[in-house]
Amino acid sequence: MGSDKPQPLVETRTISKRFGEGDARVDALREVSLAVYPGEVVGLLGPSGSGKTTLLNVIGCIVEPNAGWMSLDGEVVYDEGWRRSDLRRLRLEKIGFIFQFHNLLPFLNCFDNVAIVLNLAGFTPLAARQRAIELLEYLEVGHRKDAFPAQLSGGEAQRVAIARALANRPRIILADEPTAALDSERAGIVMDLLRKVAAEQHAAVLAVTHDDKIYDRLDRVFDLRDGRLGEDHEPKVGGMT
Amino acid sequence: MNLAFRDIRHSLGRFLLTCFGLSLLLGVVLSMIGIYRGLVEDALTLARSPQADIWVVESGSRGPFAESSRIPGDTREAIARLHGITATGAVTYQSVEARHGGKALRLYVVGYEPDRLGGPRQIVAGRTIARSHYEMVADARTKLSLGDQVPLGRNTFTVVGLTENQVASGGDPLVYLSLRDSQELQFELAPPAARRAMAGNGVISTTDTVNAIIARVSPNVQPATVTAATQRWKHLAAMTQIEQENILTRSVVERARKQIGLFTAILLTVSAVIIALIIYTMTMDKLREIATLKLIGAPDRTIIGLIVQQALAMGVIGFAFGALLITAIKDYFPRRVILQPGDGVALAAAVIIVCVLASALGVRLALKVDPGEALKG
Ligand SMILES: Nc1ncnc2c1ncn2[C@@H]1O[C@H](COP(=O)(O)OP(=O)(O)OP(=O)(O)O)[C@@H](O)[C@H]1O
Ligand SMILES: [Mg+2]
């Protein structure tokens, strides 16, 4: 590793993941090695079924790989004697998830959906309150803070979920088609926000996307095909404005 | 932020409905326990009301309640002369069916001598029997009122006093008559053959027959020494109050007691299974939310808290509603339902234990859930 580069926030080496056995076996990831550095916003592209979600889930400590090595923010995840509670702590402290489906808790209003992460992270109620409101307003859903998820539009719910993902100032932000439910103007706002977070908090953003409207907001792009990662490259700015 | 409370508040109607169903179930369990207690209590009221220490009955008989017993009325004077006896009374017991206001009325008639032991323990309205004939003290459960006229045998009796909760072991309410009146009634209602036998028997005079002699013993004399002293009369048998109560609970109401006891046990088991199922399905319904909580890094204790707190809330609210409900309606039961605080506490404890055990099942399930479950559309 070059001494001029900082330590990567996300680093994987020859990570493999398969589902099923025999005829039903699917090799979702084959020896995937990548590194994402602080301040970067990286895209993950590839056709449907190529393993993009699986890769995010492995990095997000949701899915355990079959083989390979991985470290998050300098911490080796599956070292000897790792425990389930370590994964939970990593998810709470280091990772913010933004998923295709918003995954808000239906029995909490928007404000509490954001505040719960802050509670779990040990914020005082007052600090949690201020931060939650600030984030919701920033994502233009402050006026909906008392609404329950079932009462929100898809785009509003997605923005609340983003507020939740950013609440604990995670250093690694994993986003699976974060802008799919948003119009292009709001998609741009969300990507700008992620760029700002990456810059200010020295965070790494890894975003799966099909949305060519946001390619110009990516620093680098990885292509995934049949579970294999190609060389990273600059985003090809094709048919967009 | 209490997640259990938030979740309940968010689907309050459903939660309350579940609690209501549970409260009905626990109400039934409580009333069954109350019926059991009432049965035992009722069985003993009759034997306890004269506050006797000694029962003297016909020899070879476990009377007067478990078996029939007939002894001469003058036995009372002989017993009264025994050492240590402070008070005595001659009593008769008999079931009759009377008609009042066009309806059949099952009564359990107690005959006693108004100035001796064996009369009603407490009069709640009116007075006790003052004249030697045609007056009656009835229990409020007969639904009779003061001044009512009730025909029994060839005579008509006037209700002069009322008691409360005085019933025989079968549940029939008690009425008290003077000994003379009750003896006459026994003679009239006996079948003709028995009547001839009674009249022809040289030992027992026609009318002066009683079912038992009850006696009180001075506090510094052992009742057992007095019962031993009665052994000199070959035609008599004596037992202490405790022995009499044992006969009532162990033999007279034994079957009913076991029947209700067994049913109560079954009901408790069924309730435990139902509570466990409710809590288990409550958890199943929340697996996605639980996966989301794991995804955002909630520790296991947050998830355990959510499940256990909801289970306990449901158990406690269900029990409280059920107890209130049954307290409100217990007096409408045809027989006595006795709710003892101890029983309530025991049931509440059982419900809480079942809730905790059932939520342990749910917790096991919840902790196994993969956080990735939350991501499935
Ligand atoms: N839990 C699972 N069990 C079995 N197979 C799975 C599972 N998850 C993913 N797969 C398989 O792994 C492969 C990669 O899936 P993945 O969801 O990562 O694709 P993707 O690139 O995110 O696709 P899309 O763009 O459609 O979201 C697919 O063939 C999928 O069927
Ligand atoms: Mg996907």
Side-chain angles (χ1 to χ4, degrees):
Chain A
M1 192 140 301
S3 53
D4 53 331
K5 280 209 166 183
Q7 195 192 26
L9 266 178
V10 177
E11 186 174 7
T12 71
R13 294 183 201 154
T14 60
I15 288 272
S16 295
K17 176 70 196 175
R18 57 175 185 275
F19 295 104
E21 291 298 331
D23 285 349
R25 172 169 159 162
V26 178
D27 282 292
L29 296 177
R30 305 174 203 237
E31 307 199 332
V32 172
S33 301
L34 60 73
V36 186
Y37 295 88
E40 273 193 316
V41 178
V42 175
L44 194 54
L45 307 185
S48 179
S50 56
K52 303 181 297 291
T53 299
T54 307
L55 181 56
L56 280 198
N57 287 353
V58 167
I59 294 171
C61 302
I62 296 169
V63 165
E64 195 186 328
N66 295 103
W69 181 94
M70 175 167 103
S71 91
L72 299 177
D73 197 7
E75 191 169 332
V76 178
V77 180
Y78 297 106
D79 59 353
E80 272 172 48
W82 68 272
R83 286 177 310 182
R84 231 165 41 94
S85 57
D86 296 332
L87 303 185
R88 178 189 74 70
R89 183 182 48 76
L90 284 168
R91 289 198 295 269
L92 175 62
E93 289 175 1
K94 302 207 188 294
I95 302 168
F97 295 97
I98 305 164
F99 287 99
Q100 215 162 346
F101 308 101
H102 60 72
N103 293 114
L104 295 174
L105 289 167
F107 54 86
L108 296 182
N109 62 26
C110 296
F111 171 77
D112 286 329
N113 258 292
V114 177
I116 184 173
V117 176
L118 299 164
N119 276 327
L120 291 171
F123 278 59
T124 65
L126 187 69
R129 192 178 168 75
Q130 278 172 352
R131 172 123 182 98
I133 300 259
E134 175 192 303
L135 275 166
L136 289 170
E137 306 229 304
Y138 193 83
L139 285 153
E140 297 178 40
V141 277
H143 61 294
R144 301 292 276 149
K145 69 180 168 50
D146 295 322
F148 285 90
Q151 300 162 337
L152 301 179
S153 76
E156 285 172 333
Q158 185 65 309
R159 279 177 281 154
V160 176
I162 293 170
R164 181 180 72 184
L166 300 179
N168 195 26
R169 300 184 207 280
R171 297 208 60 203
I172 300 164
I173 295 159
L174 304 175
D176 198 348
E177 306 198 25
T179 58
L182 306 178
D183 58 52
S184 59
E185 187 189 342
R186 290 214 165 76
I189 291 175
V190 164
M191 287 312 291
D192 287 340
L193 174 71
L194 292 179
R195 288 197 70 79
K196 191 173 148 195
V197 169
E200 287 176 358
Q201 299 175 22
H202 303 286
V205 177
L206 187 56
V208 170
T209 183
H210 290 298
D211 190 352
D212 54 9
K213 292 188 295 294
I214 60 168
Y215 284 177
D216 60 343
R217 266 99 163 179
L218 301 174
D219 297 322
R220 272 194 301 154
V221 167
F222 287 105
D223 284 314
L224 204 55
R225 257 167 227 282
D226 290 332
R228 246 182 253 284
L229 202 65
E231 284 295 302
D232 62 316
H233 53 79
E234 297 276 303
K236 288 190 276 291
V237 181
M240 43 140 244
T241 51
Chain B
M1 170 176 349
N2 185 313
L3 294 180
F5 173 70
R6 297 302 180 90
D7 186 33
I8 288 173
R9 203 176 56 178
H10 188 246
S11 44
L12 192 62
R14 187 178 154 185
F15 179 79
L16 288 182
L17 206 64
T18 312
C19 285
F20 179 67
L22 186 61
S23 69
L24 291 182
L25 184 67
L26 292 177
V28 171
V29 175
L30 265 180
S31 60
M32 218 54 222
I33 297 173
I35 288 170
Y36 177 88
R37 294 286 182 205
L39 181 88
V40 173
E41 181 72 21
D42 279 356
L44 293 176
T45 339
L46 186 54
R48 281 183 181 165
S49 82
Q51 293 175 288
D53 299 315
I54 303 275
W55 293 74
V56 180
V57 295
E58 188 176 342
S59 88
S61 144
R62 307 206 310 145
F65 309 114
E67 294 174 333
S68 79
S69 154
R70 295 183 152 277
I71 52 177
D74 56 14
T75 310
R76 190 197 60 73
E77 285 151 42
I79 301 293
R81 283 195 292 271
L82 288 176
H83 170 70
I85 298 287
T86 56
T88 54
V91 284
T92 65
Y93 296 103
Q94 159 186 35
S95 279
V96 299
E97 193 161 297
R99 291 201 74 76
H100 183 258
K103 272 193 258 170
L105 195 57
R106 283 204 60 81
L107 303 171
Y108 194 82
V109 176
V110 179
Y112 75 105
E113 294 167 282
D115 47 354
R116 295 217 168 88
L117 286 189
R121 195 155 156 184
Q122 200 186 8
I123 303 275
V124 294
R127 58 173 172 81
T128 181
I129 292 172
R131 292 190 303 155
S132 56
H133 280 302
Y134 314 132
E135 285 189 346
M136 157 192 286
V137 169
D139 189 77
R141 298 208 166 210
T142 57
K143 305 244 161 56
L144 294 170
S145 330
L146 291 180
D148 279 357
Q149 305 276 323
V150 184
L152 287 178
R154 270 184 303 211
N155 299 314
T156 298
F157 293 80
T158 307
V159 178
V160 297
L162 293 176
T163 60
E164 255 174 13
N165 286 330
Q166 299 297 303
V167 295
S169 60
D172 295 338
L174 301 191
V175 298
Y176 295 85
L177 304 183
S178 73
L179 186 66
R180 278 296 178 71
D181 287 344
S182 77
Q183 284 173 323
E184 198 178 319
L185 188 64
Q186 254 181 3
F187 184 71
E188 279 166 19
L189 297 181
R195 223 182 311 180
R196 256 196 314 279
M198 274 195 265
N201 192 321
V203 185
I204 298 173
S205 79
T206 319
T207 49
D208 195 14
T209 303
V210 298
N211 299 120
I213 305 296
I214 49 181
R216 262 183 222 158
V217 176
S218 123
N220 37 22
V221 174
Q222 284 291 323
T225 62
V226 183
T227 59
T230 61
Q231 279 169 1
R232 76 173 87 141
W233 293 292
K234 293 288 169 261
H235 66 295
L236 299 180
M239 64 188 107
T240 61
Q241 175 68 20
I242 293 163
E243 288 166 338
Q244 182 65 264
E245 289 186 11
N246 283 345
I247 288 174
L248 279 164
T249 47
R250 302 257 167 82
S251 66
V252 177
V253 294
E254 181 66 0
R255 265 172 218 274
R257 196 169 69 87
K258 277 194 178 151
Q259 176 99 346
I260 296 181
L262 183 65
F263 187 66
T264 310
I266 292 174
L267 211 54
L268 278 170
T269 315
V270 170
S271 315
V273 170
I274 291 179
I275 294 175
L277 280 177
I278 292 175
I279 292 173
Y280 196 72
T281 35
M282 236 161 69
T283 315
M284 290 287 279
D285 287 348
K286 269 200 277 296
L287 286 187
R288 206 186 143 83
E289 284 86 331
I290 289 168
T292 305
L293 281 169
K294 288 186 167 188
L295 191 74
I296 59 175
D300 288 351
R301 64 165 189 284
T302 304
I303 291 156
I304 295 172
L306 173 68
I307 296 170
V308 174
Q309 285 167 18
Q310 285 195 352
L312 286 180
M314 194 187 67
V316 169
I317 294 174
F319 177 83
F321 273 2
L324 277 179
L325 192 76
I326 220 62
T327 313
I329 64 166
K330 74 178 166 69
D331 291 335
Y332 297 97
F333 279 77
R335 286 197 64 176
R336 199 125 67 103
V337 175
I338 298 178
L339 301 178
Q340 292 181 345
D343 291 340
V345 170
L347 181 64
V351 167
I352 286 173
I353 289 170
V354 169
C355 285
V356 169
L357 289 182
S359 42
L361 272 182
V363 164
R364 238 174 69 101
L365 180 80
L367 294 186
K368 274 203 214 134
V369 171
D370 195 52
E373 286 297 313
L375 305 179
K376 305 222 166 100

